[in-house]
Amino acid sequence: EIVLTQSPGTLSLSSGERATLSCRASQSVINSYLAWYQQKPGQAPRLLIYGASNRATGIPDRFSGSGSGTDFTLTISRLEPEDFAVYYCHQYGSSPPYTFGQGTKLEIK
Amino acid sequence: EVQLVQSGAEVKKPGESLKISCKGSGFTFASTWIAWVRQKPGKGLEWMGIIYPDDSDTRYSPSFQGQVTMSVDKSTSTANLQWTSLKASDSAMYYCARRVWFGELGGGFDVWGQGTTVTVSS
């Protein structure tokens, strides 16, 4: 089973700043089958990025993903107030189970 | 509109059985993988497993294998998650989600149900 470790656990930033979230896998993620999700309180998760770097439908271009192998990054170029939420990475590259990271909480500084 | 609508909140006692559901509409349900994800209060997302409605091919996370059963009813475009004997530790929010696939680019879970809260308490 691939274990995903996200860092930092909590990130405190202000609107307009740049956010960089990390996701490290315990072994290489096949085909970079790594997705990122955003979850706000009381809501279901929302798909942001798939295949490590492809934005899902309707996702603003301030969100970008990068990485391959075992190291992946989600970058939010200029934080908007609605971006403060919890972010999860998720791998689906090998045989199940398709694991999630433990999450990074992005909070307002 | 593409959507997944889940059954309502449940309150059960330890040892009781339960089946919750997830009804899809607006897309070809039979040829779309449907996943189940657990989220305990204040905690992260846990991938439970995934099922392909057309042939009921099911892949479970080892953590949930033998603890739950996933099934589908193609005639009603409904996926189900069931327990035969609930434990207090099963108390959580359960989400179903549709997997979208873009070939070599991979995919993800692009449509989610609203979640079903399961509370198990004596």
Side-chain angles (χ1 to χ4, degrees), chain A residues 32-94:
Chain A
S32 295
Y33 284 166
L34 191 288
W36 290 92
Y37 295 85
Q38 175 194 67
Q39 188 179 33
K40 297 180 180 179
Q43 296 184 18
R46 177 173 72 143
L47 176 65
L48 299 175
I49 300 287
Y50 63 89
S53 60
N54 304 283
R55 273 188 300 277
T57 302
I59 302 303
D61 60 7
R62 63 180 182 273
F63 290 90
S64 63
S66 63
S68 63
T70 60
D71 289 297
F72 298 88
T73 301
L74 175 69
T75 301
I76 311 171
S77 58
R78 295 172 309 281
L79 284 166
E80 298 286 344
E82 61 268 27
D83 298 336
F84 292 94
V86 180
Y87 292 83
Y88 296 94
C89 57
H90 170 60
Q91 70 80 23
Y92 50 96
S94 60

Side-chain angles (χ1 to χ4, degrees), chain B residues 10-23:
Chain B
E10 301 276 0
V11 179
K12 292 289 191 178
K13 289 181 167 47
E16 291 186 330
S17 63
L18 174 65
K19 180 189 281 188
I20 63 175
S21 66
C22 167
K23 183 175 176 60

